[in-house]
């Protein structure tokens, strides 16, 4: 298993990013919550729109599922099954959008948990300042390498990470998790 984040610079084309933004713009916007299911603005300031499986979102689920499976096969070897939902996330300078240090390895209370996390950069890197995706310790890929639009970052959901405050502009990203049977 490779514990480091795996990234592919500009893996998704501009047209894909534009189509995701267009689809998400029609969904209800919510204050994003932390893993305990609460809005906690001392830990997370961002907006979220939830993309559920549907005919309109099938192109997103298919592309992300294939990306998860390819990277998992080559780098992690986890027992993975499905993507339950996808989060379209906005971090804006007007409210110093950020997300403090956290892990995504959340169990659903059943026999499944998040195994891998994925972030896709939807905004051009020049459209905002701050808003960097950081990983704890030596796992940090070069920030300038993971900021370009369309870049995908995949990592084990138990890897601690954060998004630094956006100080100018707006950062848009797509966040997904693939679940599988609980780790043993």
């Amino acid at each position: 298993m490779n514990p480091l984040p795996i990234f592919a610079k500009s893996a998704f084309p501009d047209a894909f990013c534009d189509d995701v933004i267009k689809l998400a713009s029609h969904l209800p916007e919510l204050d994003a919550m932390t893993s305990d299911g609460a809005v906690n603005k001392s830990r997370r300031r961002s907006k979220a729109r939830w993309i559920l499986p549907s005919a309109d979102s099938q192109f997103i689920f298919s592309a992300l599922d294939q990306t998860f499976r390819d990277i998992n096969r080559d780098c992690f070897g986890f027992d993975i099954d499905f993507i339950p939902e996808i989060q379209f996330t906005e971090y804006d300078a007007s409210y110093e959008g950020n997300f403090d240090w956290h892990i995504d390895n959340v169990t659903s209370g059943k026999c499944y948990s998040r195994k891998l996390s994925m972030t896709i950069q939807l905004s051009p890197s020049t459209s905002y300042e701050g808003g960097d995706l950081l990983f704890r310790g030596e796992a940090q890929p070069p920030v300038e390498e993971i900021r370009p639009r369309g870049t995908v970052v995949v990592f084990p959901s138990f890897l601690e990470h954060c998004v630094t405050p956006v100080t100018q502009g707006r950062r848009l990203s797509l966040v997904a998790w693939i679940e599988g049977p609980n780790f043993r």
Side-chain angles (χ1 to χ4, degrees):
M1 179 189 74
N2 184 351
L4 301 176
I6 304 300
F7 67 95
K9 194 172 178 180
S10 303
F12 288 92
D14 286 343
F16 177 87
C17 297
D18 291 340
D19 289 346
V20 168
I21 293 168
K22 182 178 176 182
L23 183 139
S25 70
H26 299 289
L27 299 172
E29 181 180 83
L30 307 165
D31 284 329
M33 295 184 272
T34 55
S35 61
D36 61 1
V39 173
N40 181 345
K41 293 193 179 188
S42 67
R43 296 203 58 239
R44 183 177 190 184
R45 287 186 299 275
S46 62
K47 304 292 182 184
R49 297 170 193 251
W50 291 96
I51 301 170
L52 302 176
S54 72
D56 291 338
S57 66
Q58 185 58 41
F59 76 100
I60 302 171
F61 278 84
S62 293
L64 273 56
D65 187 74
Q66 189 60 55
T67 301
F68 268 131
R69 291 184 189 288
D70 290 346
I71 291 174
N72 184 59
R73 182 187 60 246
D74 294 344
C75 302
F76 299 108
F78 291 162
D79 188 3
I80 56 175
D81 283 335
F82 63 96
I83 301 170
E85 69 268 327
I86 298 170
Q87 184 182 99
F88 175 87
T89 311
E90 173 196 276
Y91 298 93
D92 196 281
S94 66
Y95 51 81
E96 295 180 339
N98 75 329
F99 196 170
D100 203 1
W101 291 103
H102 66 283
I103 60 170
D104 294 340
N105 193 9
V106 177
T107 60
S108 62
K110 298 181 180 158
C111 298
Y112 282 81
S113 62
R114 292 177 178 170
K115 296 287 188 80
L116 292 172
S117 299
M118 176 188 298
T119 298
I120 299 171
Q121 176 66 21
L122 298 175
S123 302
S125 61
T126 57
S127 68
Y128 66 95
E129 292 180 13
D132 292 320
L133 175 62
L134 301 179
F135 294 88
R136 187 74 82 183
E138 295 180 27
Q140 182 61 47
V143 171
E144 63 278 1
E145 293 292 314
I146 61 174
R147 280 184 67 113
R149 189 174 200 215
T151 296
V152 60
V153 181
V154 177
F155 55 95
S157 297
F158 54 75
L159 197 61
E160 194 173 18
H161 58 287
C162 73
V163 175
T164 63
V166 172
T167 57
Q168 186 174 16
R170 181 175 67 149
R171 176 183 185 253
L172 301 176
S173 62
L174 199 60
V175 179
W177 307 272
I178 194 161
E179 294 186 0
N182 289 334
F183 287 109
R184 298 174 213 232

